[in-house]
Amino acid sequence: MPKVVDHAQRRRDIVDALLELIAREGMGAATSRSLASHLGVSNGALWRYFKDKDDLLAATYQTVLDKSNQRVAEAIAGRSGIDAVLAMIETFFPLTAELQDEAKVVLAFWGVAAMNPTQASHGNPEMVQWSDEFAALLAEAVAAGELRPETPVAALGGILLSVATNAQVEYVFQGEDGAGRMADVRRLLESFRA
């Protein structure tokens, strides 16, 4: 009787292994051969679950996005206004080993997507979503009287997302974890205080 394989679980196992490899050895060392060796399978076995390396990297990136969305939801649950804004932005800073590993995956995916017309054409809808979420929380802060009515919530939401994204880039290229950026964010928000 042939062995029954849980296709979805096997894909998750491969994605988790790729996350480990990228974190430990960097994107350049995370080859299909090293991934197969890490999993104890043949190189060809990987491609029963993914059509190519870009497909695998996209699935890995999606896993990171799902984790990010979950962290954001947990961080802002029961919070509102400026408190929620600060909690949300902190979830993007690479302050833990897991977030540092994920920053490497995010930047690797962006590099691949920038060179791949198919992936680049899809854009980054998560960026729009997060920017809008920051703007909505800032609008709550305006409505609660924490921020001045003329606060440009949409523009400020985009700036906060840029700060969060830049923290990941700085970590990957300079080893900075972004902890100092929270003071910058607080000063920025303070300049709009009611």
Side-chain angles (χ1 to χ4, degrees), residues 24-53:
R24 192 174 67 219
E25 300 175 23
M27 188 61 199
T31 64
S32 58
R33 179 170 290 153
S34 65
L35 179 58
S37 175
H38 183 70
L39 287 164
V41 300
S42 70
N43 196 20
L46 297 174
W47 311 123
R48 291 184 198 133
Y49 303 96
F50 297 93
K51 64 181 180 182
D52 57 26
K53 190 169 181 179

Side-chain angles (χ1 to χ4, degrees), residues 165-180:
T165 302
N166 192 54
Q168 293 178 325
V169 173
E170 285 180 348
Y171 170 73
V172 171
F173 290 107
Q174 299 171 351
E176 299 289 328
D177 66 7

Side-chain angles (χ1 to χ4, degrees), residues 8-22:
Q9 181 59 51
R10 193 65 181 142
R11 282 177 59 91
R12 285 190 296 273
D13 292 344
I14 293 169
V15 163
D16 289 344
L18 181 59
L19 280 167
E20 289 173 24
L21 276 177
I22 292 171

